[in-house]
Amino acid sequence: MRAALAATTLLLALTALAACGATPQTTLEPTTEAARQARDLMVFVFWAAAVVFVIVESALVYILIRFRRRPGDGLPAQTHGHTALEIAWTIPPTILIGVIAALTIPVIFANAQPAGADAMRVRAIGHQWWFEFDYPELGVVTANELHLPVDRSVELQLESDDVLHSFWVPRLRGKLDMVPGRVNRFTIRPEVTGTFQGQCAEFCGTAHALMKFTVVVETQAEFDAWAAAQLAERTPPSSELARAGEEAMAAGGCVACHAIRGTDAAGVLGPDLTHVASRAHIASGILANTPDNMRRWLQDPQGVKPGNLMTIPELTDDQLDALTAYMQGLT
Amino acid sequence: MATVTTTAPDTRTFAGTAWSWITTVDHKRIAVLYLVTALGFFALGGIEALLMRLQLARPDTDLVSAERFTELFTMHGTTMVFLALMPLSAAFFNLLVPLMIGARDVAFPRLNALSYWIYLFGGIFMNISFLAGGAPNAGWFGYAPLTATQFEATHAIDFWALGLQILGVSSILASINFIVTIINMRAPGMTLNRMPMFVWMSLITAFLIIFAFPAITIGLVLLLFDRYLSTSFFLPAGGGDPVLWQHLFWVFGHPEVYILILPAMGIVSDILPTAARKPLFGYPVVAYSGAAIALVGFGVWTHHMFTVGLGPIADTAFAISTMAIAVPTGVKIFNWMATLYGGSISIKTPLLFAVGMVAMFIIGGLSGVMLGSPPIDAQVQDTYFVVAHLHYVLFGGTVLGLFGGIYYWFPKFTGRLMHEGWGKVHWALMLIGFNLTFLPQHLLGIDGMPRRVHTYPADQGFELWNLLSTIGSFAIAASLLIFAVNALVSIRRGQPSGNDPWDGGTLEWTIPSPPPVYNFAQIPVVDGRYPAWDAKRGGGHTGAVAAATAHGDEDEDEPDIHMPNPSYWPIVLAAGMVIMACGLIFHQVFILLGAVLFGVSLLGWIEEPAA
Ligand SMILES: [Cu+2]
Ligand SMILES: [Cu+2]
């Protein structure tokens, strides 16, 4: 009992402390209306719960101390119940629950509002273990890095190619599952530019922990420039090494799984690599996109991300150098 | 002395002793089997938890592989729910229900033995998977379509689905047995509203099992069809729907939470009055609120599915029903506090665990209200916040309550008290360890750490909380070691307890410790809720219990007590069933073998001379 109280005090102190550290996936620093509403509800219910907690637990401790057995205690008064009391103490919890429900319900419906006709539509498709993002209106297809213009509603159409996944960017919105055979829709209206971290939240197999993505919110002009660049075919290799890399794509079997527009590579099992160098991360958010990391990935994808579906024959050092150079050129 | 007729095996040799346990149909011995087995599985599930906590203590650790980790969390959850906590409750049903209602055994003693053996073999069957090519790895709620052959070609999922199916049979049989026992075998005068609260909660739990298990049974049958016969109930490619699995699972899964918590609530409702020397406050309210929780509990299952996209109307309806459960739950807590209020509270280990249960369960209930609000849930669903919440309910609630029960009834079944000082150390360390483990997990969830991840990077602000959590989990483990040593030493060398060390009010305290095979030399006549108190304190209700305790043992006119004969058919029948399941995994010939065994033992069972 006392331990619980001490632990609670500790908890509150530590929460304050934690707020200072970097928590890129925190739900407490929302940047959209929807995430703010969830945060506000959470904070309200937390404090309501904290009040209940303090009252009930201190009453419990008080009773234990006040009525502990003392030497010479006789038989205490044998009370059996009290109807008025029973009725009375259903009232406060009922009222509290009523208030929480009354605050909750409008948010549920607000969150379910369909996006307006002017909203941009993006398909987000979960794959074991990476995210595909398609912009049907723009013709852009990319992976693991979702670009959105600021101050414009986006209707995300969530789908899955295999098992359940869940789309979650805590600072933008609560999660919604990607269910094979269904299409879930929700709207995000980013208000702040910047990069936001997201992660698959539904267990989806071995590499579930390593299935992440980022959302880049940028100005409309930046977004338009990005989209135009993504639409272009791949940048042709500019060095001898990179050219060798493009040739190694076929030898290495990469073309079976990856698409690179402007080449023969048209696989769909893995992410579209046409502009892989434009992305800040590879392997769905777990590695910074540096030449070293790229080489590491190509050398041993199973070591970097156990269980993932990129299985390739072992590549020679020459092939690795060439492919790395080629990938780095796909801006 | 009453004479007992039963064809008991010779227990002077080791083989004889073993045979006597294998063939026993005595509810008290079956309870011991349940207790020991369940504590064994509890230790196994605990070791799985410690391995996970070690892996997560620091970021980017490589102690446990990603694949092994998925097995660990799946088997930890499955083991704790189906192989540890439910059977621990079953141990208490077996120990206590007949004693508390003044009966000599359960209604169907052989069926009782069968439930146990099916449970034991089912548990072993499921865990053999670790040695046979990989353990279940799709999480304890096994969401489709990750369980499909396409995504798990090994037998991992078959072990899980068949194992759960087997355990379900065990639970349903036990429930039927206890419902019949409680309805039909109460001592004269023990109306429903005079039953000890633990018996009430056992009755409600048994009904919950009967109504909840069919949903998962059907789900598992469909899953096995999908896996073995290429149907596609849960596969969209064939016109099926993975969400259907979620409905079937949680229609079972939410009531399952109450299946796990109500027995512990019953235990607490019996410990508190004894400790405070006062009757349970608001007895009918506590009983009926238990029933209300159970009933409403069938109407809240989609709160586990708020992020599936069922739409605002469904989310609203289930949010309201979920929050509504907080009211009867709160009422129970108030009544417990009122029971203590004005009492003369003896602060011994059972009471400490009971109060700890109340205190921790409150936290789980409050975080449950947070999760009941869909917009909040959308943020913290599938994160460590949920892990924290469910452990406050199932560890803080169920486990603490069950340990309170172990300390409380230990003397009844061994004739000795557990060491009080070490009991208090166990309690304090467990409570500190528990809170250290799970309080920080709330923060991890709010800070965005998903559950079921085998690792996390360093720059997410997760390090400190994970480290604390791991330290806490080892404190829990240490407290359990203290408990184990205390229990083992106390069985042999504990302070002799007499028949009634706590001044208890219910019938089990009127008979010797340990109770004789036949429990009651003379079936007591009951005319109040606390017959033992009435007998001891005199006054208003005296009656037959006093008479029974006073001279029952040496009553010369007592007719011979005929106890049911031991039987080996339960264990054979259970083996037949599990061998058949092996046939679906190892080789078809086992199906035949198991079926023959099953059929023969069924016939043997029927032909066995009536006891
Ligand atoms: Cu996932
Ligand atoms: Cu539930």
Side-chain angles (χ1 to χ4, degrees):
Chain A
M1 187 56 26
R2 255 161 278 165
L5 285 178
T8 316
T9 325
L10 185 76
L11 167 77
L12 290 176
L14 289 177
T15 323
L17 209 151
C20 313
T23 48
Q25 280 181 194
T26 180
T27 58
L28 295 177
E29 288 163 27
T31 62
T32 66
E33 183 60 21
R36 241 185 331 269
Q37 284 175 331
R39 193 268 320 264
D40 293 348
L41 259 181
M42 182 143 76
V43 169
F44 173 80
V45 183
F46 171 78
W47 285 113
V51 170
V52 174
F53 173 83
V54 169
I55 294 174
V56 180
E57 303 276 1
S58 37
L60 194 56
V61 174
Y62 168 79
I63 290 172
L64 281 182
I65 295 172
R66 168 75 184 72
F67 297 104
R68 72 185 183 282
R69 188 169 301 172
R70 297 176 179 82
D73 267 7
L75 190 64
Q78 301 289 294
T79 46
H80 291 267
H82 194 289
T83 311
L85 209 54
E86 297 287 356
I87 295 168
W89 60 38
T90 57
I91 295 172
T94 310
I95 292 177
L96 188 60
I97 292 304
V99 170
I100 295 173
L103 292 172
T104 292
I105 295 167
V107 181
I108 298 177
F109 281 89
N111 283 348
Q113 281 297 316
D118 61 329
M120 181 170 79
R121 268 147 243 277
V122 181
R123 285 173 70 205
I125 303 157
H127 298 268
Q128 275 182 326
W129 286 274
W130 57 283
F131 290 91
E132 175 184 343
F133 299 116
D134 293 1
Y135 299 69
E137 290 148 4
L138 308 176
V140 171
V141 175
T142 183
N144 300 330
E145 194 174 291
L146 176 65
H147 284 246
L148 298 177
V150 71
D151 289 330
R152 175 156 177 216
S153 293
V154 184
E155 186 194 74
L156 278 159
Q157 207 175 295
L158 305 179
E159 300 166 37
S160 169
D161 189 40
D162 36 48
V163 299
L164 296 171
H165 302 278
S166 194
F167 180 99
W168 188 34
V169 193
R171 298 189 62 197
L172 294 183
R173 223 199 129 126
K175 62 187 70 66
L176 187 60
D177 294 350
M178 303 169 126
V179 184
R182 295 190 176 209
V183 178
N184 274 332
R185 291 188 171 79
F186 72 1
T187 312
I188 290 181
R189 191 180 170 86
E191 294 167 15
V192 187
T193 56
T195 304
F196 302 95
Q197 206 181 288
Q199 183 161 6
C200 174
E202 184 69 76
F203 177 61
C204 53
T206 312
H208 164 63
L210 304 177
M211 180 169 168
K212 305 183 180 193
F213 63 107
T214 41
V215 179
V216 179
V217 178
E218 51 204 359
T219 62
Q220 186 70 47
E222 286 166 332
F223 177 79
D224 291 340
W226 171 82
Q230 294 289 313
L231 268 179
E233 288 190 342
R234 64 103 175 71
T235 320
S238 56
S239 69
E240 202 52 50
L241 194 59
R243 239 185 311 280
E246 185 159 281
E247 275 149 30
M249 288 290 291
C254 325
V255 293
C257 296
H258 292 287
I260 299 181
R261 272 174 294 119
T263 74
D264 295 338
V268 292
L269 225 111
D272 187 307
L273 297 179
T274 313
H275 299 286
V276 64
S278 75
R279 307 203 271 268
H281 296 90
I282 53 172
S284 73
I286 64 166
L287 286 181
N289 193 356
T290 63
D292 282 351
N293 281 338
M294 181 61 84
R295 199 172 190 286
R296 245 181 86 201
W297 171 251
L298 297 178
Q299 191 171 21
D300 184 14
Q302 293 303 320
V304 172
K305 183 169 177 174
N308 90 82
L309 297 181
M310 173 155 153
T311 43
I312 48 170
E314 205 172 313
L315 302 172
T316 64
D317 274 350
D318 289 347
Q319 282 174 315
L320 282 172
D321 291 338
L323 280 166
T324 305
Y326 177 53
M327 292 291 140
Q328 293 300 305
L330 294 175
T331 50
Chain B
M1 184 68 205
T3 42
V4 184
T5 37
T6 169
T7 48
D10 180 3
T11 54
R12 278 165 306 186
T13 62
F14 175 77
T17 309
W19 186 246
S20 80
W21 281 97
I22 286 173
T23 58
T24 187
V25 294
D26 175 359
H27 72 97
K28 296 178 289 299
R29 299 188 105 197
I30 293 174
V32 171
L33 291 173
Y34 262 114
L35 188 72
V36 171
T37 313
L39 286 174
F41 279 119
F42 187 67
L44 187 64
I47 291 168
E48 285 156 0
L50 291 179
L51 286 174
M52 287 191 283
R53 280 316 324 164
L54 277 178
Q55 163 71 11
L56 292 175
R58 309 292 310 137
D60 294 320
T61 310
D62 262 338
L63 189 74
V64 177
S65 72
E67 253 178 7
R68 185 59 81 185
F69 195 88
T70 62
E71 299 175 348
L72 287 179
F73 68 68
T74 303
M75 286 307 286
H76 166 74
T78 307
T79 301
M80 286 309 197
V81 169
F82 296 98
L83 300 179
L85 297 192
M86 284 182 74
L88 270 176
S89 296
F92 279 99
F93 299 161
N94 268 293
L95 280 175
L96 297 173
V97 166
L99 299 188
M100 285 181 153
I101 62 173
R104 291 206 167 117
D105 207 320
V106 293
F108 307 116
R110 289 184 301 172
L111 197 65
N112 202 20
L114 178 64
S115 304
Y116 168 72
W117 294 114
I118 295 179
Y119 150 59
L120 174 68
F121 295 154
I124 294 174
F125 171 82
M126 214 186 265
N127 278 285
I128 280 180
S129 58
F130 275 112
L131 311 172
N137 55 4
W140 85 275
F141 40 77
Y143 271 1
L146 196 58
T147 48
T149 324
Q150 180 192 349
F151 301 107
E152 187 48 71
T154 74
H155 280 301
I157 300 300
D158 303 322
F159 274 113
W160 182 76
L162 291 165
L164 286 187
Q165 214 61 308
I166 292 167
L167 295 168
V169 173
S170 161
S171 301
I172 290 174
L173 292 180
S175 300
I176 292 171
N177 207 346
F178 280 97
I179 290 173
V180 177
T181 305
I182 294 170
I183 303 275
N184 282 347
M185 298 183 62
R186 278 167 290 133
M190 181 170 282
T191 57
L192 286 181
N193 268 332
R194 285 180 185 157
M195 298 193 304
M197 196 47 66
F198 177 74
V199 179
W200 253 113
M201 292 305 129
S202 307
L203 182 65
I204 294 172
T205 305
F207 273 110
L208 272 172
I209 290 175
I210 299 274
F211 287 111
F213 267 75
I216 191 178
T217 303
I218 291 166
L220 289 168
V221 168
L222 301 185
L223 173 61
L224 288 167
F225 276 10
D226 275 8
R227 290 187 58 88
Y228 280 95
L229 306 177
S230 304
T231 53
S232 42
F233 289 102
F234 304 126
L235 306 177
D241 183 3
V243 176
L244 174 63
W245 167 266
Q246 300 191 21
H247 284 295
L248 288 170
F249 186 88
W250 290 114
V251 166
F252 150 81
H254 190 82
E256 173 67 20
V257 177
Y258 299 118
I259 292 170
L260 293 167
I261 193 72
L262 288 179
M265 289 180 158
I267 288 171
V268 167
S269 306
D270 283 337
I271 292 178
L272 296 183
T274 303
R277 303 193 74 199
K278 269 178 77 217
L280 182 65
F281 194 88
Y283 173 101
V285 182
V286 176
Y288 300 154
S289 63
I293 290 173
L295 213 66
V296 183
F298 276 101
V300 300
W301 77 91
T302 79
H303 64 209
H304 298 271
M305 302 164 61
F306 282 151
T307 62
V308 170
L310 300 178
I313 312 253
D315 286 356
T316 302
F318 282 92
I320 292 173
S321 60
T322 299
M323 292 180 189
I325 286 204
V327 177
T329 312
V331 164
K332 262 188 175 321
I333 289 168
F334 295 144
N335 277 292
W336 287 329
M337 290 168 66
T339 304
L340 292 173
Y341 189 90
S344 166
I345 308 167
S346 157
I347 308 208
K348 294 275 173 58
T349 322
L351 182 273
L352 286 174
F353 273 98
V355 171
M357 182 277 188
V358 177
M360 295 302 108
F361 183 74
I362 291 171
I363 302 179
L366 291 170
S367 59
V369 172
M370 289 179 84
L371 287 166
S373 171
I376 303 176
D377 181 83
Q379 283 288 18
V380 290
Q381 162 78 311
D382 273 313
T383 69
Y384 262 88
F385 190 89
V386 175
V387 178
H389 161 73
L390 76 92
H391 283 91
Y392 269 87
V393 175
L394 295 183
F395 194 117
T398 305
V399 174
L400 291 183
L402 292 174
F403 272 109
I406 292 179
Y407 279 94
Y408 183 61
W409 282 292
F410 188 88
K412 177 73 347 198
F413 293 92
T414 61
R416 293 175 187 279
L417 288 159
M418 283 185 72
H419 190 278
E420 180 62 27
W422 285 111
K424 283 186 171 136
V425 173
H426 167 203
W427 174 79
L429 191 57
M430 190 176 228
L431 221 63
I432 293 169
F434 165 71
N435 281 294
L436 194 58
T437 309
F438 296 108
L439 264 185
Q441 295 187 356
H442 290 107
L443 301 175
L444 282 175
I446 290 173
D447 283 345
M449 177 162 165
R451 66 193 289 200
R452 299 176 163 182
V453 293
H454 70 277
T455 190
Y456 54 91
D459 53 358
Q460 305 288 303
F462 299 158
E463 287 107 307
L464 177 60
W465 307 138
N466 273 302
L467 188 61
L468 288 180
S469 184
T470 301
I471 294 171
S473 67
F474 279 86
I476 297 176
S479 79
L480 286 168
L481 283 180
I482 292 174
F483 163 79
V485 173
N486 188 356
L488 290 177
V489 172
S490 301
I491 286 179
R492 294 207 180 76
R493 296 216 294 271
Q495 192 191 326
S497 63
N499 295 348
D500 183 17
W502 317 110
D503 185 18
T506 39
L507 279 179
E508 75 272 25
W509 304 111
T510 64
I511 57 171
S513 308
V517 213
Y518 47 83
N519 299 347
F520 296 88
Q522 193 178 45
I523 298 297
V525 177
V526 178
D527 60 1
R529 281 181 194 147
Y530 297 95
W533 278 350
D534 297 339
K536 281 178 280 189
R537 293 172 189 169
H541 317 277
T542 37
V545 174
T549 26
H551 60 89
D553 277 7
E554 55 282 302
D555 189 345
E556 302 294 336
D557 305 329
E558 177 72 12
D560 287 353
I561 299 168
H562 185 74
M563 295 305 291
N565 292 330
S567 169
Y568 46 79
W569 291 121
I571 192 174
V572 182
L573 207 158
M577 206 172 135
V578 176
I579 291 173
M580 277 200 277
C582 290
L584 285 172
I585 288 178
F586 300 111
H587 192 283
Q588 294 85 320
V589 75
F590 285 111
I591 301 183
L592 198 70
L593 213 75
V596 169
L597 218 54
F598 189 87
V600 168
S601 47
L602 213 54
L603 280 176
W605 183 298
I606 296 167
E607 292 298 321
E608 201 162 42

